[in-house]
Amino acid sequence: MTIELGIMPPGHLHCYKAVADNRLSSTTPAPIAIEKAFAQGMGEGLFALSAHKNTVELSPMFRFWRDVACAYMTARCHQPEADSQRLEAMAFTTLPVFSRLLASAPPMTGAEYLSLDVFEHTWVTLDTWLCEQVNKAGHRLAEFLKDKAPHWHQVGRVCFHLAENKQDNEYPFAFMATYIAQLSHRGQAKHQPLGKALQQYAGTQQKQQLINLLSPVYLASKESPLVKELLDSGDIYHPLAWTPDEAYHFIKELPLYEAAGLSVRLPDWWKKRARPQVSVSIGNNTQGNFNADSLLDFEVTLTLGDQALSREEWQQLMASEEGLVLLKGQWVEVDQEKLNAALAHWKDVEQRVAEEGISFVEGMRLLAGSPIDLSPANQAPAQSWSSVQAGAGLSRLLENLRHPETQPLMRLGNSLRATLRPYQQRGVNWLWYLSQLKLGACLADDMGLGKTVQVIALLLALKKQGVSKPSLLVLPTSLLGNWKDELEKFAPSLDYQCVHPSQAKNGNKQKTNNGVTQEAIAGKDLIITTYGMLLRQPWLLEVSWQLVVLDEAQAIKNPGTRQTKAAKQLQAESRIVLTGTPVENRLGDLWSLFDFICPGLLGSVKRFQTFVKSLESREQDQYAPLRNLVQPYMLRRLKTDKSIIDDLPDKTEVHAYCGLSKKQAALYEKSVKELAIALENPEGIQRKGLVLSYLLRFKQLCNHPAQWLGDGNYQPQESGKFARLAEICEEIASRQEKVLVFTQFREMTEPLADYLTECFGQPGLVLHGGTSVPQRKKRVDHFQQEDGPPFFVLSIKAGGTGLNLTQASHVIHFDRWWNPAVENQATDRAFRIGQKRNVLVHKMVCQGTIEDKIDQLITDKSALANDILAGSAETLLTELSNEDLIDLVTLDVNKVQPPIS
């Protein structure tokens, strides 16, 4: 079995069975030894990764976690062993390498949860395992590593020091080898000259300790002529004065020393790595009217740090010997060949763009560290000898994109009938800023964080600004009801029109072509349509829109479909996509979405594939250029973010409006007619029984025709609820979150579980009245495990009380009890003491049906709703007059959504 590593929502590293996807990157199976180690546990797997030398055979994802494990091992081995025989836990330290790893993480499951907290948990996991194994073996760490991971053996015991000697112009550097003898009284490592080790370990009894101490030095001497000469001559035991050339020779061999297990200390100026560079500045003269169509200025200069070099100083460097050169009072590294190559490359680019200018897309590629055309053939020289930065004007623009909270708040007055939460206000500012620059945007907030209301606020801002062109919203048919409900609730002043045969703003039944033409949309603020209608109404592709917004944008993740191709033909000043799924973790999805919002940024699909392969071959910061390239256009907030969670209510309830399939609608209308005829004669208890049977039938038909027909043929396409359930669960699955699905019908639990198994790609759990008490507890315990099943289907009677299911962050009421108190009891299985995350409650409602009308009565808090809340809803409904009852159950054809995509 091929495995991969990923991150679960709580921030814990987890082992998954690898599945084929469209990441466009090669998937290298893990070595058998690595798979076996992870099968034993996460700690053992991480240790095996750190001990694995052949990184070439590791996939980018495994190389990434190997780097994390190696960061811990390096810190552990550089920590002197205490006198105690037991290996004690080592506290997590935020190492500089972690920032680099955060910025260059490869695609992986749960990459959106990657943070320093994840590194800390991984650190603790590996540290706990190592302490247990070392203590169980009864050895010291050095002995354990010598047996289990020889290349980590003795790391940090001998240290090579290079220091600057400013008093000697001929020999301005000094070398000394030391060893860690003991801890100081402050618990710090105390270094002593290596020569003293010969005295300390004199005598046959301590000969083995001396051999252990010097073994990394001997190991380094096999690869380094310099160390071999120092060892053979005995100079390694004495302080030495060195020339710049000798010091540079030493510095260049650093990787050899570290690989042998030696520690190296260098002057602080070397860590800052002051080097002469070819510096490229893009967009210095960006003005206030800048947008995505503007060209950027391009300037090449020669610098040392933040100081410009004159031509004379540059010529002096080029004429000096390679290595360390004293320039402007500091030692700098000079490599004439690499410097000349960098200068030639950027001068060539400067010459090419001098006539045409450099486009915004090309400039963003260069700033991200990518080739100007994404071609590996045009890759810039190593960043150590050249640098690309945004000029003053472009830098301000990008800073505003990265920090939308710095933008002035949008003032919408009373036009928005809602109070935006702070993070939502920041989202509106960000969308506004990007749209003013004619740049595309991907709003990828978690489900339940209010992407819809942020877009509505943006549309109101455009209206307030006096924008005359309408905007276009494209979405799945199942979301038409949700958007219509939110628009009328939050923005009644927006004048919108639906281009879909099932919707009409004023309640008039529209013709198949919706009766809407390009001329008829004049003066509208917003046009709403579905992905399928883009193919049926080609005039939508000819209009020049102010904004085009795609909701549930994963609908265009497959670039070859007619639906995706049609969406990409839409014309607009700016394009926005809304998605709750993490797009960066599947590179095929990422390319297709960005091909819509920022055409050309990621090149053609073939060029992008080549670009991704070139990233995989990089030794460091593999995916940093790609992440840097897309980051300015993506805004993603998670419910787990500390800056968000305090801003959220503990429980959020949303309606999941559903359509009816043609079969559902036909059977429903037929049942209404049959009920009207049947009500003509019966009275008393006979009438009550008749009404109750039909109310049950309408509920069953809203769920799935097969439930009422009893034929067991639960085809997903025959139920609008099944279609909407799949859409909701796709996002939940992509976030590796868990969900409780409640139904009042025991017979629906198994069909729902079978369907959800397909949605999640793995089985879940079922609980109903027939579940035994031992099985009930066993299934609850299984679900409560962090890596347990992703969904739990429960009958509301059996699972509505007495259960603790706090691993779920979503609750779906598949069918309605028509009593909020009962539904809240069920919801509280997840939302209760012990829950550490926001709970999102989805209440499924088939629009235009009795479900919709009862829900509206409850929402409006009508007199009838109060009666329903006080007793049995079905019983009370039987007491309605024939006319009121038929009116309640009659299908509202103006609200029904046929499943036209």
Side-chain angles (χ1 to χ4, degrees):
M1 177 187 74
T2 302
I3 63 169
E4 63 177 23
L5 300 179
I7 309 163
M8 301 193 77
H12 302 161
L13 192 62
H14 186 65
C15 208
Y16 297 86
K17 179 180 179 181
V19 294
D21 59 25
N22 64 341
R23 289 177 180 168
L24 295 179
S25 59
S26 59
T27 53
T28 306
I32 295 176
I34 298 296
E35 289 203 10
K36 287 182 177 179
F38 275 106
Q40 297 301 312
M42 189 58 61
E44 185 166 342
L46 289 167
F47 181 78
L49 268 183
S50 73
H52 194 78
K53 292 184 178 181
N54 187 9
T55 58
V56 175
E57 64 179 356
L58 296 177
S59 69
M61 176 266 301
F62 275 109
R63 289 204 297 272
F64 175 84
W65 289 109
R66 181 184 182 276
D67 288 345
V68 175
C70 286
Y72 160 80
M73 289 298 297
T74 300
R76 167 58 84 177
C77 291
H78 277 77
Q79 188 178 61
E81 291 193 67
D83 293 335
S84 171
Q85 290 292 327
R86 290 186 59 79
L87 186 63
E88 301 296 335
M90 182 172 64
F92 173 74
T93 302
T94 304
L95 303 174
V97 68
F98 289 151
S99 296
R100 177 178 62 79
L101 289 170
L102 282 175
S104 60
M108 71 181 87
T109 302
E112 65 273 21
Y113 302 117
L114 187 63
S115 66
L116 285 176
D117 290 340
V118 174
F119 289 151
E120 180 175 6
H121 186 268
T122 305
W123 176 296
V124 171
T125 299
L126 178 51
D127 186 59
T128 301
W129 180 88
L130 185 62
C131 289
E132 289 176 352
Q133 295 301 311
V134 171
N135 295 331
K136 181 180 178 181
H139 299 312
R140 287 181 173 271
L141 177 63
E143 296 173 84
F144 179 84
L145 293 179
K146 184 178 181 181
D147 180 43
K148 302 295 183 181
H151 69 289
W152 284 109
H153 178 231
Q154 300 291 339
V155 171
R157 299 290 294 280
V158 174
C159 182
F160 286 173
H161 301 256
L162 182 68
E164 190 175 358
N165 180 14
K166 296 183 179 180
Q167 306 302 318
D168 193 331
N169 293 331
E170 187 176 356
Y171 296 96
F173 294 95
F175 167 82
M176 176 180 283
T178 67
Y179 74 106
I180 300 172
Q182 59 187 16
L183 293 178
S184 70
H185 66 283
R186 294 184 178 180
Q188 297 176 330
K190 186 176 181 180
H191 290 263
Q192 292 190 14
L194 189 58
K196 286 196 173 184
L198 301 179
Q199 303 170 15
Q200 180 175 346
Y201 297 127
T204 56
Q205 291 183 348
Q206 295 185 316
K207 181 179 179 181
Q208 187 59 46
Q209 288 179 271
L210 182 61
I211 293 173
N212 291 342
L213 177 69
L214 295 178
S215 60
V217 181
Y218 284 106
L219 188 61
S221 69
K222 295 179 181 180
E223 301 292 334
S224 166
L226 174 61
V227 176
K228 186 177 187 306
E229 181 183 343
L230 291 173
L231 201 57
D232 291 345
S233 65
D235 285 346
I236 198 167
Y237 301 109
H238 310 287
L240 300 173
W242 276 358
T243 65
D245 184 59
E246 289 173 316
Y248 188 61
H249 189 173
F250 172 82
I251 288 173
K252 288 196 296 184
E253 288 190 346
L254 286 180
L256 296 178
Y257 309 151
E258 292 175 344
L262 294 165
S263 178
V264 181
R265 291 191 172 186
L266 300 174
D268 289 341
W269 53 260
W270 178 257
K271 296 176 184 178
K272 299 176 183 176
R273 198 61 61 94
R275 280 177 172 173
Q277 283 190 328
V278 179
S279 297
V280 177
S281 181
I282 301 174
N284 275 299
N285 301 321
T286 301
Q287 303 299 320
N289 59 352
F290 173 85
N291 61 51
D293 300 326
S294 303
L295 294 177
L296 301 170
D297 56 282
F298 184 91
E299 182 182 6
V300 178
T301 57
L302 307 173
T303 62
L304 177 64
D306 56 359
Q307 302 179 60
L309 292 177
S310 66
R311 184 164 296 278
E312 291 73 21
E313 289 170 326
W314 183 264
Q315 290 173 347
Q316 176 189 343
L317 287 175
M318 292 298 101
S320 64
E321 294 185 6
E322 289 191 353
L324 296 178
V325 176
L326 192 62
L327 180 66
K328 292 192 173 187
Q330 58 182 313
W331 291 99
V332 299
E333 183 182 9
V334 176
D335 187 319
Q336 283 95 343
E337 181 180 351
K338 291 179 180 177
L339 280 170
N340 280 323
L343 182 60
H345 172 84
W346 290 115
K347 283 294 183 182
D348 180 57
V349 174
E350 184 179 42
Q351 184 176 355
R352 278 190 287 144
V353 302
E355 299 179 1
E356 304 174 0
I358 185 169
S359 70
F360 181 79
V361 163
E362 291 173 328
M364 294 301 287
R365 288 173 179 169
L366 293 178
L367 289 172
S370 306
I372 192 170
D373 59 356
L374 299 183
S375 170
N378 293 321
Q379 179 67 51
Q383 291 183 356
S384 53
W385 301 103
S386 66
S387 65
V388 182
Q389 59 274 331
L394 185 57
S395 181
R396 286 192 298 271
L397 182 151
L398 295 176
E399 188 67 15
N400 290 336
L401 287 181
R402 296 186 181 101
H403 300 284
E405 66 275 7
T406 62
Q407 295 300 297
L409 297 180
M410 302 296 302
R411 302 296 182 186
L412 300 175
N414 296 325
S415 59
L416 181 67
R417 303 286 180 85
T419 300
L420 295 176
R421 300 183 185 279
Y423 73 86
Q424 292 172 333
Q425 181 69 70
R426 293 193 294 270
V428 176
N429 292 348
W430 181 77
L431 290 171
W432 170 264
Y433 190 64
L434 278 164
S435 65
Q436 296 304 293
L437 296 173
K438 298 184 179 181
L439 294 174
C442 175
L443 184 60
D445 285 346
D446 245 349
M447 185 190 297
L449 293 187
K451 294 188 287 290
T452 302
V453 74
Q454 292 176 67
V455 171
I456 289 174
L458 175 65
L459 293 170
L460 287 171
L462 291 173
K463 182 180 179 72
K464 184 177 180 181
Q465 189 188 36
V467 172
S468 57
K469 294 200 304 187
S471 295
L472 179 69
L473 170 65
V474 187
L475 36 68
T477 307
S478 58
L479 292 183
L480 279 168
N482 285 74
W483 271 94
K484 184 176 178 181
D485 182 62
E486 303 253 298
L487 283 165
E488 293 177 350
K489 181 191 304 181
F490 298 133
S493 63
L494 278 179
D495 188 6
Y496 71 90
Q497 175 71 57
C498 292
V499 181
H500 193 274
S502 69
Q503 295 287 317
K505 183 179 180 184
N506 297 320
N508 297 320
K509 181 65 178 177
Q510 299 173 338
K511 299 177 182 178
T512 302
N513 67 357
N514 204 49
V516 181
T517 64
Q518 186 168 345
E519 293 73 23
I521 66 173
K524 300 291 183 183
D525 299 315
L526 178 67
I527 301 300
I528 305 176
T529 193
T530 64
Y531 290 101
M533 294 303 290
L534 294 179
L535 302 173
R536 298 175 175 86
Q537 300 288 332
W539 64 267
L540 292 167
L541 311 181
E542 300 170 2
V543 178
S544 177
W545 306 99
Q546 181 65 32
L547 293 180
V548 168
V549 182
L550 304 188
D551 195 7
E552 299 289 355
Q554 55 269 30
I556 64 164
K557 67 182 180 182
N558 296 321
T561 64
R562 292 176 61 220
Q563 178 172 282
T564 300
K565 291 176 180 177
K568 292 181 179 181
Q569 293 178 46
L570 291 166
Q571 306 170 45
E573 294 290 314
S574 183
R575 297 175 169 192
I576 297 173
V577 298
L578 308 179
T579 179
T581 60
V583 296
E584 306 115 301
N585 299 339
R586 294 181 179 271
L587 297 184
D589 298 1
L590 180 72
W591 179 86
S592 191
L593 286 184
F594 269 80
D595 191 46
F596 173 78
I597 62 172
C598 297
L601 183 70
L602 299 184
S604 67
V605 67
K606 289 186 178 180
R607 177 58 57 86
F608 183 63
Q609 287 175 326
T610 304
F611 174 56
V612 168
K613 288 181 180 178
S614 72
L615 295 180
E616 292 178 352
S617 65
R618 291 162 58 106
E619 292 185 2
Q620 287 188 339
D621 304 334
Q622 288 180 311
Y623 288 90
L626 177 58
R627 293 189 180 276
N628 293 338
L629 191 54
V630 302
Q631 186 271 335
Y633 316 97
M634 292 186 65
L635 184 62
R636 180 179 61 209
R637 279 80 61 91
L638 306 179
K639 293 192 291 288
T640 52
D641 288 350
K642 293 177 181 177
S643 61
I644 300 295
I645 192 67
D646 293 337
D647 206 21
L648 289 173
D650 295 324
K651 179 172 61 175
T652 303
E653 296 185 351
V654 296
H655 284 94
Y657 291 114
C658 310
L660 295 178
S661 69
K662 293 180 180 179
K663 186 173 183 179
Q664 280 178 299
L667 288 172
Y668 190 102
E669 289 192 297
K670 180 182 178 182
S671 297
V672 172
K673 293 176 182 177
E674 291 177 357
L675 174 60
I677 295 172
L679 285 173
E680 291 178 358
N681 297 316
E683 295 180 357
I685 193 168
Q686 186 181 3
R687 180 184 184 277
K688 182 175 291 187
L690 176 70
V691 173
L692 288 174
S693 68
Y694 270 89
L695 290 176
L696 178 63
R697 181 193 297 192
F698 290 130
K699 280 189 173 185
Q700 292 173 325
L701 287 173
C702 287
N703 282 351
H704 197 291
Q707 186 183 359
W708 178 63
L709 295 173
D711 57 10
N713 187 21
Y714 285 90
Q715 295 296 320
Q717 66 272 18
E718 292 186 353
S719 168
K721 281 191 178 180
F722 272 54
R724 187 73 186 105
L725 183 65
E727 293 170 349
I728 294 172
C729 290
E730 179 185 3
E731 188 166 330
I732 294 173
S734 74
R735 295 293 192 194
Q736 303 172 83
E737 295 176 330
K738 296 192 179 190
V739 61
L740 306 180
V741 181
F742 284 102
T743 174
Q744 59 186 291
F745 300 103
R746 174 175 171 175
E747 66 267 23
M748 281 301 301
T749 56
E750 291 297 341
L752 281 172
D754 291 342
Y755 184 54
L756 289 171
T757 298
E758 297 179 21
C759 296
F760 282 91
Q762 57 180 303
L765 299 167
V766 173
L767 187 149
H768 49 63
T771 307
S772 65
V773 173
Q775 275 296 315
R776 181 184 175 101
K777 183 180 185 306
K778 183 177 180 180
R779 293 177 191 183
V780 168
D781 291 343
H782 191 192
F783 184 79
Q784 283 294 92
Q785 295 174 8
E786 185 176 276
D787 58 352
F791 68 87
F792 206 152
V793 180
L794 310 100
S795 66
I796 201 163
K797 282 187 176 180
T801 58
L803 298 179
N804 184 11
L805 299 167
T806 54
Q807 277 292 326
S809 53
H810 293 263
V811 173
I812 296 176
H813 291 288
F814 185 75
D815 41 55
R816 308 298 300 281
W817 192 258
W818 293 346
N819 188 326
V822 174
E823 290 181 346
N824 288 339
Q825 262 193 335
T827 296
D828 287 348
R829 297 316 94 216
F831 172 61
R832 59 188 301 159
I833 296 172
Q835 176 59 276
K836 297 179 180 179
R837 54 180 68 86
N838 171 270
V839 175
L840 185 58
V841 184
H842 310 260
K843 296 184 176 182
M844 305 193 83
V845 177
C846 284
Q847 283 199 297
T849 69
I850 186 173
E851 283 191 335
D852 190 15
K853 295 175 183 180
I854 294 292
D855 180 77
Q856 192 61 49
L857 288 171
I858 294 173
T859 301
D860 295 342
K861 298 181 179 179
S862 68
L864 176 59
N866 291 332
D867 291 338
I868 291 174
L869 295 178
S872 171
E874 286 87 349
T875 301
L876 287 168
L877 292 177
T878 63
E879 298 174 4
L880 294 176
S881 68
N882 288 359
E883 292 75 13
D884 289 340
L885 183 61
I886 294 299
D887 183 62
L888 185 66
V889 301
T890 296
L891 202 60
D892 185 346
V893 293
N894 289 319
K895 296 185 70 176
V896 174
Q897 304 170 30
I900 300 175
S901 55

